[in-house]
Amino acid sequence: MLQVDLTGKVIVVTGGGTGLGKAMAKTFAACGAQVAICGRRQAIIEATAQELGPAVHAYPCDVREWESVSAFLERVVNDLGKIDAVVNNAAGNFLAASETLSPRAFRAVVDIVLTGTFHVSRWAGAYWIEHRRPGHILNIVTTYTDTGCAFVLPSAAAKAGVQALTLSLAYEWAPYHIRVNAIAPGPFPTEGAWSRLMPNANFEEMYKNRLPTKRYGRPEELGALAAFLLSDLAPYLTGAVIPIDGAERLQGAMFNYLAQVADRETLKAAFAALKEATRGST
Ligand code: COA
Protein backbone atom coordinates (compact mmCIF):
# COMPACT_ATOMS: atom_id res chain seq x y z
CA MET A 1 0.00 0.00 0.00
CA LEU A 2 1.18 3.51 -0.83
CA GLN A 3 2.06 5.30 2.41
CA VAL A 4 1.95 9.09 2.53
CA ASP A 5 5.29 10.31 3.89
CA LEU A 6 5.49 13.69 5.60
CA THR A 7 8.81 13.03 7.33
CA GLY A 8 10.77 16.21 8.00
CA LYS A 9 7.87 18.54 7.24
CA VAL A 10 6.64 21.17 9.68
CA ILE A 11 2.91 21.70 9.38
CA VAL A 12 0.80 24.33 11.13
CA VAL A 13 -2.85 23.53 11.87
CA THR A 14 -5.04 26.37 13.15
CA GLY A 15 -7.83 25.22 15.44
CA GLY A 16 -5.89 21.99 15.85
CA GLY A 17 -6.99 21.36 19.42
CA THR A 18 -10.36 19.84 18.61
CA GLY A 19 -12.50 18.29 15.91
CA LEU A 20 -11.25 17.98 12.36
CA GLY A 21 -8.13 20.05 13.08
CA LYS A 22 -7.13 17.56 15.74
CA ALA A 23 -7.87 14.65 13.41
CA MET A 24 -5.64 16.16 10.71
CA ALA A 25 -2.86 16.87 13.22
CA LYS A 26 -3.01 13.23 14.31
CA THR A 27 -2.72 11.97 10.72
CA PHE A 28 0.14 14.35 9.88
CA ALA A 29 2.07 13.23 12.96
CA ALA A 30 1.45 9.58 12.08
CA CYS A 31 2.91 10.31 8.61
CA GLY A 32 6.11 11.65 10.18
CA ALA A 33 5.53 15.43 10.35
CA GLN A 34 6.15 17.86 13.18
CA VAL A 35 2.83 19.58 13.77
CA ALA A 36 2.21 22.98 15.40
CA ILE A 37 -1.39 23.31 16.52
CA CYS A 38 -2.89 26.55 17.72
CA GLY A 39 -6.07 27.64 19.40
CA ARG A 40 -7.50 30.26 21.71
CA ARG A 41 -7.88 27.94 24.71
CA GLN A 42 -4.48 26.97 26.10
CA ALA A 43 -5.71 24.03 28.21
CA ILE A 44 -7.38 22.40 25.20
CA ILE A 45 -4.46 22.66 22.80
CA GLU A 46 -2.05 21.48 25.47
CA ALA A 47 -4.21 18.45 26.28
CA THR A 48 -4.37 17.61 22.56
CA ALA A 49 -0.61 17.91 22.13
CA GLN A 50 -0.14 15.69 25.17
CA GLU A 51 -2.55 13.12 23.76
CA LEU A 52 -1.10 13.09 20.23
CA GLY A 53 2.52 12.74 21.33
CA PRO A 54 5.87 14.51 21.02
CA ALA A 55 5.53 15.43 17.33
CA VAL A 56 2.59 17.73 18.14
CA HIS A 57 3.34 21.15 19.66
CA ALA A 58 0.75 23.50 21.18
CA TYR A 59 0.77 27.29 20.77
CA PRO A 60 -1.81 29.78 21.93
CA CYS A 61 -3.04 31.99 19.09
CA ASP A 62 -6.12 33.95 18.16
CA VAL A 63 -6.20 33.91 14.35
CA ARG A 64 -8.41 37.02 14.34
CA GLU A 65 -5.44 39.10 15.55
CA TRP A 66 -2.52 39.79 13.20
CA GLU A 67 -0.08 40.30 16.11
CA SER A 68 -1.08 36.98 17.63
CA VAL A 69 -0.63 35.16 14.31
CA SER A 70 2.79 36.76 13.62
CA ALA A 71 4.03 35.92 17.13
CA PHE A 72 2.76 32.33 16.82
CA LEU A 73 4.34 31.64 13.42
CA GLU A 74 7.63 33.30 14.44
CA ARG A 75 7.74 31.00 17.46
CA VAL A 76 7.11 27.95 15.29
CA VAL A 77 10.00 28.88 12.99
CA ASN A 78 12.25 29.46 16.02
CA ASP A 79 11.25 26.22 17.75
CA LEU A 80 10.94 23.86 14.77
CA GLY A 81 13.32 25.49 12.30
CA LYS A 82 10.90 26.25 9.45
CA ILE A 83 7.31 25.98 8.23
CA ASP A 84 6.44 23.85 5.18
CA ALA A 85 2.65 24.10 5.20
CA VAL A 86 -0.22 25.83 6.94
CA VAL A 87 -3.71 24.39 7.27
CA ASN A 88 -6.36 27.05 7.82
CA ASN A 89 -8.88 25.02 9.75
CA ALA A 90 -10.00 27.33 12.58
CA ALA A 91 -13.67 28.16 12.09
CA GLY A 92 -16.86 29.22 13.79
CA ASN A 93 -20.42 28.55 12.78
CA PHE A 94 -23.94 28.43 14.21
CA LEU A 95 -27.52 28.18 12.97
CA ALA A 96 -29.49 31.43 12.94
CA ALA A 97 -32.25 33.08 10.94
CA SER A 98 -30.37 35.76 9.04
CA GLU A 99 -32.87 38.51 9.91
CA THR A 100 -31.91 38.03 13.57
CA LEU A 101 -28.12 38.18 13.14
CA SER A 102 -26.39 40.98 15.00
CA PRO A 103 -23.45 42.71 13.33
CA ARG A 104 -21.23 41.27 16.05
CA ALA A 105 -22.47 37.76 15.33
CA PHE A 106 -21.68 38.18 11.63
CA ARG A 107 -18.23 39.53 12.44
CA ALA A 108 -17.53 36.77 14.98
CA VAL A 109 -17.58 34.16 12.22
CA VAL A 110 -16.08 36.23 9.39
CA ASP A 111 -13.17 37.33 11.60
CA ILE A 112 -12.20 33.76 12.45
CA VAL A 113 -12.82 32.16 9.06
CA LEU A 114 -11.90 34.77 6.47
CA THR A 115 -9.68 37.26 8.31
CA GLY A 116 -7.93 34.44 10.20
CA THR A 117 -7.18 32.60 6.96
CA PHE A 118 -5.85 35.81 5.42
CA HIS A 119 -3.60 36.49 8.43
CA VAL A 120 -1.98 33.04 8.40
CA SER A 121 -1.68 32.91 4.60
CA ARG A 122 -0.23 36.41 4.40
CA TRP A 123 2.44 35.67 7.02
CA ALA A 124 3.37 32.28 5.59
CA GLY A 125 3.43 33.48 1.97
CA ALA A 126 5.74 36.39 2.75
CA TYR A 127 7.98 34.06 4.80
CA TRP A 128 8.29 31.52 1.97
CA ILE A 129 8.89 34.20 -0.65
CA GLU A 130 11.52 35.96 1.46
CA HIS A 131 13.36 32.72 2.26
CA ARG A 132 12.92 31.26 -1.24
CA ARG A 133 11.24 28.19 0.15
CA PRO A 134 8.38 26.24 -1.38
CA GLY A 135 5.21 26.21 0.70
CA HIS A 136 1.64 24.99 0.83
CA ILE A 137 -1.53 26.61 2.08
CA LEU A 138 -4.42 24.23 2.63
CA ASN A 139 -7.75 25.88 3.42
CA ILE A 140 -10.78 24.14 4.83
CA VAL A 141 -13.93 25.44 3.15
CA THR A 142 -17.36 23.80 2.79
CA THR A 143 -19.51 22.29 0.08
CA TYR A 144 -21.80 25.35 0.12
CA THR A 145 -19.26 27.93 -1.02
CA ASP A 146 -20.72 27.98 -4.55
CA THR A 147 -24.39 27.74 -3.64
CA GLY A 148 -24.60 29.73 -0.41
CA CYS A 149 -26.56 28.12 2.42
CA ALA A 150 -29.64 29.09 4.39
CA PHE A 151 -29.33 29.68 8.16
CA VAL A 152 -25.50 29.82 8.15
CA LEU A 153 -25.06 33.12 6.31
CA PRO A 154 -21.85 34.33 8.03
CA SER A 155 -20.16 30.99 7.41
CA ALA A 156 -21.36 30.78 3.79
CA ALA A 157 -20.11 34.31 3.07
CA ALA A 158 -16.78 33.81 4.88
CA LYS A 159 -16.04 30.41 3.34
CA ALA A 160 -16.86 31.74 -0.15
CA GLY A 161 -14.26 34.42 0.59
CA VAL A 162 -11.75 31.76 1.61
CA GLN A 163 -12.42 29.92 -1.63
CA ALA A 164 -11.74 33.12 -3.60
CA LEU A 165 -8.56 33.63 -1.56
CA THR A 166 -7.48 30.07 -2.38
CA LEU A 167 -7.90 30.51 -6.11
CA SER A 168 -6.40 34.00 -6.15
CA LEU A 169 -3.24 33.02 -4.28
CA ALA A 170 -2.82 29.74 -6.16
CA TYR A 171 -2.27 31.70 -9.36
CA GLU A 172 -0.42 34.64 -7.86
CA TRP A 173 2.06 32.59 -5.84
CA ALA A 174 2.55 29.66 -8.23
CA PRO A 175 5.80 31.22 -9.57
CA TYR A 176 7.16 31.06 -5.99
CA HIS A 177 6.41 27.31 -5.74
CA ILE A 178 3.67 27.94 -3.21
CA ARG A 179 0.70 25.63 -3.69
CA VAL A 180 -2.72 26.75 -2.46
CA ASN A 181 -5.59 24.29 -2.26
CA ALA A 182 -8.83 23.84 -0.38
CA ILE A 183 -10.74 20.85 0.91
CA ALA A 184 -14.52 21.18 1.10
CA PRO A 185 -15.79 18.70 3.69
CA GLY A 186 -19.43 17.70 3.75
CA PRO A 187 -20.96 16.18 6.87
CA PHE A 188 -18.23 15.21 9.33
CA PRO A 189 -19.82 15.27 12.79
CA THR A 190 -17.61 16.71 15.50
CA GLU A 191 -18.62 17.84 18.95
CA GLY A 192 -17.92 21.50 18.14
CA ALA A 193 -19.84 21.54 14.88
CA TRP A 194 -22.76 19.25 15.68
CA SER A 195 -23.51 20.91 19.01
CA ARG A 196 -24.05 24.15 17.08
CA LEU A 197 -25.51 22.83 13.84
CA MET A 198 -27.80 19.92 14.72
CA PRO A 199 -30.85 21.06 16.73
CA ASN A 200 -31.81 17.57 18.02
CA ALA A 201 -31.87 13.83 17.28
CA ASN A 202 -34.92 14.13 14.99
CA PHE A 203 -33.13 16.63 12.77
CA GLU A 204 -30.08 14.41 12.74
CA GLU A 205 -32.17 11.43 11.58
CA MET A 206 -33.74 13.59 8.84
CA TYR A 207 -30.31 14.80 7.79
CA LYS A 208 -28.69 11.39 7.70
CA ASN A 209 -31.50 9.82 5.66
CA ARG A 210 -30.92 12.17 2.79
CA LEU A 211 -27.21 11.33 2.51
CA PRO A 212 -26.67 9.19 -0.60
CA THR A 213 -24.10 7.08 1.25
CA LYS A 214 -26.32 6.94 4.38
CA ARG A 215 -23.28 7.69 6.50
CA TYR A 216 -21.15 10.60 7.67
CA GLY A 217 -17.54 11.23 6.79
CA ARG A 218 -14.93 9.84 9.15
CA PRO A 219 -12.26 12.24 10.45
CA GLU A 220 -9.44 9.95 9.33
CA GLU A 221 -10.78 10.15 5.75
CA LEU A 222 -10.33 13.91 5.81
CA GLY A 223 -6.88 13.47 7.40
CA ALA A 224 -5.81 11.11 4.61
CA LEU A 225 -6.83 13.57 1.88
CA ALA A 226 -5.09 16.46 3.63
CA ALA A 227 -1.91 14.40 4.14
CA PHE A 228 -1.85 13.44 0.47
CA LEU A 229 -2.28 17.07 -0.62
CA LEU A 230 0.56 18.25 1.65
CA SER A 231 2.90 15.46 0.59
CA ASP A 232 5.42 15.34 -2.23
CA LEU A 233 2.98 13.12 -4.15
CA ALA A 234 1.03 16.15 -5.38
CA PRO A 235 3.50 18.80 -6.63
CA TYR A 236 1.32 19.83 -9.61
CA LEU A 237 -1.88 20.02 -7.59
CA THR A 238 -2.66 23.65 -6.87
CA GLY A 239 -5.69 25.91 -7.23
CA ALA A 240 -8.01 22.98 -6.48
CA VAL A 241 -11.07 22.91 -4.26
CA ILE A 242 -11.71 19.25 -3.49
CA PRO A 243 -15.03 18.14 -2.01
CA ILE A 244 -15.09 15.19 0.36
CA ASP A 245 -18.75 14.66 1.10
CA GLY A 246 -19.95 11.27 -0.13
CA ALA A 247 -21.69 13.17 -3.00
CA GLU A 248 -24.01 14.93 -0.51
CA ARG A 249 -23.72 18.25 -2.36
CA LEU A 250 -25.22 16.78 -5.52
CA GLN A 251 -28.68 16.14 -4.10
CA GLY A 252 -30.13 19.18 -5.85
CA ALA A 253 -29.51 17.82 -9.38
CA MET A 254 -32.83 17.63 -11.21
CA PHE A 255 -33.59 13.90 -11.12
CA ASN A 256 -31.60 12.94 -8.04
CA TYR A 257 -34.81 13.07 -6.00
CA LEU A 258 -35.67 9.70 -7.54
CA ALA A 259 -32.95 8.12 -5.40
CA GLN A 260 -35.26 8.69 -2.42
CA VAL A 261 -37.47 5.85 -3.64
CA ALA A 262 -36.14 3.17 -1.32
CA ASP A 263 -37.14 0.17 -3.43
CA ARG A 264 -35.00 0.11 -6.57
CA GLU A 265 -37.30 -2.49 -8.21
CA THR A 266 -40.25 -0.05 -7.94
CA LEU A 267 -38.13 2.57 -9.65
CA LYS A 268 -37.04 0.20 -12.40
CA ALA A 269 -40.64 -0.83 -12.98
CA ALA A 270 -41.68 2.82 -13.30
CA PHE A 271 -38.89 3.44 -15.82
CA ALA A 272 -39.88 0.32 -17.79
CA ALA A 273 -43.51 1.49 -17.86
CA LEU A 274 -42.39 4.88 -19.16
CA LYS A 275 -40.29 3.22 -21.82
CA GLU A 276 -43.25 1.06 -22.87
CA ALA A 277 -45.62 4.03 -22.93
CA THR A 278 -43.32 6.10 -25.12
CA ARG A 279 -42.17 3.26 -27.43
CA GLY A 280 -42.49 4.25 -31.05
CA SER A 281 -43.39 7.86 -30.28
CA THR A 282 -41.16 10.51 -31.79
N1 COA B 1 -26.79 32.52 17.30
C1 COA B 1 -26.82 33.86 17.08
N2 COA B 1 -25.84 34.69 17.48
C2 COA B 1 -24.80 34.14 18.11
C3 COA B 1 -24.69 32.75 18.38
C4 COA B 1 -25.75 31.93 17.95
N3 COA B 1 -25.75 30.61 18.15
N4 COA B 1 -23.54 32.52 19.03
C5 COA B 1 -22.94 33.71 19.18
N5 COA B 1 -23.70 34.68 18.62
C6 COA B 1 -23.41 36.11 18.64
C7 COA B 1 -23.40 36.65 20.05
O1 COA B 1 -24.72 36.89 20.50
C8 COA B 1 -22.57 37.91 19.87
O2 COA B 1 -23.32 38.95 19.29
P1 COA B 1 -23.99 40.13 20.23
O3 COA B 1 -22.88 40.65 21.09
O4 COA B 1 -24.49 41.12 19.23
O5 COA B 1 -25.07 39.45 21.01
C9 COA B 1 -21.59 37.52 18.79
O6 COA B 1 -22.12 36.37 18.13
C10 COA B 1 -20.24 37.18 19.35
O7 COA B 1 -20.43 36.15 20.30
P2 COA B 1 -19.25 35.65 21.22
O8 COA B 1 -19.68 34.42 21.94
O9 COA B 1 -18.72 36.79 22.02
O10 COA B 1 -18.15 35.33 20.08
P3 COA B 1 -16.89 34.47 20.13
O11 COA B 1 -15.93 35.12 19.24
O12 COA B 1 -16.47 34.09 21.51
O13 COA B 1 -17.42 33.11 19.46
C11 COA B 1 -18.50 31.93 17.71
C12 COA B 1 -17.43 32.93 18.10
C13 COA B 1 -19.84 32.60 17.90
C14 COA B 1 -18.34 31.58 16.24
C15 COA B 1 -18.46 30.67 18.59
O14 COA B 1 -19.49 29.81 18.21
C16 COA B 1 -17.14 29.96 18.48
O15 COA B 1 -16.16 30.36 19.10
N6 COA B 1 -17.07 28.88 17.71
C17 COA B 1 -15.83 28.15 17.49
C18 COA B 1 -16.07 26.72 17.39
C19 COA B 1 -17.05 26.38 16.29
O16 COA B 1 -17.93 27.14 15.94
N7 COA B 1 -16.91 25.20 15.79
C20 COA B 1 -17.75 24.75 14.72
C21 COA B 1 -17.11 25.04 13.43
S1 COA B 1 -18.05 24.35 12.11
Side-chain angles (χ1 to χ4, degrees):
M1 200 173 76
L2 186 63
Q3 172 70 39
V4 173
D5 184 8
L6 299 174
T7 306
K9 292 192 189 295
V10 176
I11 300 173
V12 167
V13 183
T14 68
T18 55
L20 298 181
K22 179 177 174 181
M24 285 188 280
K26 185 176 177 182
T27 305
F28 300 155
C31 293
Q34 294 290 312
V35 188
I37 59 170
C38 79
R40 279 182 285 177
R41 293 164 298 172
Q42 180 110 25
I44 291 191
I45 49 170
E46 273 173 9
T48 296
Q50 188 84 29
E51 180 189 329
L52 298 186
V56 178
H57 313 266
Y59 296 86
C61 173
D62 183 341
V63 295
R64 298 172 300 183
E65 304 296 333
W66 170 250
E67 290 72 21
S68 179
V69 168
S70 321
F72 159 49
L73 296 176
E74 272 164 27
R75 276 188 66 198
V76 174
V77 172
N78 281 338
D79 293 351
L80 305 177
K82 58 171 181 164
I83 294 172
D84 295 298
V86 294
V87 180
N88 285 305
N89 163 77
N93 201 359
F94 51 75
L95 287 173
S98 297
E99 64 275 21
T100 68
L101 279 173
S102 75
R104 266 173 51 85
F106 184 79
R107 267 203 307 275
V109 173
V110 173
D111 281 357
I112 300 170
V113 174
L114 181 54
T115 310
T117 297
F118 166 73
H119 285 156
V120 172
S121 305
R122 159 72 177 77
W123 195 97
Y127 157 78
W128 289 320
I129 291 167
E130 185 191 340
H131 295 277
R132 296 174 190 274
R133 301 188 68 95
H136 192 180
I137 297 168
L138 179 59
N139 295 325
I140 305 301
V141 294
T142 74
T143 46
Y144 51 72
T145 43
D146 289 329
T147 56
C149 191
F151 308 117
V152 286
L153 175 72
S155 168
K159 293 283 190 180
V162 173
Q163 182 163 305
L165 180 149
T166 305
L167 304 178
S168 305
L169 290 180
Y171 197 91
E172 186 176 338
W173 286 350
Y176 298 109
H177 307 287
I178 297 169
R179 295 193 290 129
V180 191
N181 290 299
I183 294 178
F188 281 78
T190 61
E191 215 285 306
W194 249 224
S195 62
R196 292 172 174 88
L197 301 174
M198 206 48 79
N200 61 43
N202 289 341
F203 281 88
E204 172 147 27
E205 194 57 28
M206 197 163 96
Y207 185 89
K208 205 166 177 177
N209 276 335
R210 50 179 266 299
L211 299 176
T213 54
K214 304 291 181 224
R215 75 162 175 92
Y216 294 128
R218 300 180 185 115
E220 62 274 19
E221 293 173 313
L222 179 72
L225 174 59
F228 166 74
L229 287 172
L230 296 186
S231 77
D232 296 335
L233 294 170
Y236 200 52
L237 218 169
T238 189
V241 180
I242 301 173
I244 176 165
D245 72 336
E248 187 261 356
R249 75 196 178 287
L250 304 175
Q251 62 172 319
M254 194 183 283
F255 296 106
N256 284 359
Y257 78 98
L258 290 167
Q260 287 165 19
V261 176
D263 177 15
R264 188 55 65 110
E265 294 310 314
T266 305
L267 209 51
K268 285 197 231 166
F271 294 161
L274 270 181
K275 184 179 178 189
E276 195 54 41
T278 53
R279 190 186 293 280
S281 64
T282 52

